Every structure is written in C-alpha cells, then in structure tokens.
Amino acid sequence: MKKYQAASHDTGVVAYETGEDNIRVKFRDGSVYIYTNQSAGPAAIAEMKTLAKKGTGLTTYINQHVRDHYQTRLK
C-alpha cells in the first residue's frame, strides 16, 4: 500500500492501494476497506483514486459519500 500523503495529521486514512476497478483504504485504527465500482459506483471510485493521489480530501469524501458502500472490510 502507498502512504497517504495528507497535509493534515488529523486524517483517518493512512494508506491506499488502487486497482483497475477498486481502491483499498487503510485507516489509522488498522482497518482496511475495499471499495469497488460495484459497491460504491465507478464515479466514486474514480474520485477516491484522484483524492488519494492528491493526498487530500479522501477521508472527508469517504465520510460524506461512500462510508457504508464498501465491498469488504479486511481488518
């Protein structure tokens, strides 16, 4: 997973990994969630990937738009 480069240390996201149609997000508490095109929608996944690469806004986006729309929780 790539380290999430957020400017704010208050972010809940610490790392991410993108796939063709998904994004895995690791949170500060160690939990890892997989969001997919099927579970969250292609537009949401595209936006999450963009925010992850920018290093800003991913935690807020998840909380406001896709919080419970994950396919799998790994930890």
Side-chain angles (χ1 to χ4, degrees):
M1 293 188 110
K2 294 181 182 179
K3 184 178 177 184
Y4 181 60
Q5 300 293 331
S8 169
H9 296 289
D10 293 335
T11 185
V13 174
V14 296
Y16 70 95
E17 181 176 66
T18 60
E20 186 174 323
D21 65 349
N22 65 73
I23 183 169
R24 291 178 183 226
V25 181
K26 183 175 183 179
F27 292 91
R28 193 179 327 162
D29 68 359
S31 61
V32 177
Y33 290 81
I34 302 173
Y35 296 89
T36 66
N37 283 352
Q38 186 177 7
S39 69
I45 298 303
E47 181 66 13
M48 291 170 72
K49 288 178 180 181
T50 298
L51 295 171
K53 290 175 186 173
K54 285 174 139 179
T56 185
L58 183 57
T59 303
T60 300
Y61 186 85
I62 291 170
N63 286 333
Q64 292 179 353
H65 301 283
V66 297
R67 182 178 199 103
D68 297 325
H69 298 282
Y70 58 89
Q71 180 171 327
T72 306
R73 179 180 178 189
L74 298 178
K75 296 181 183 181

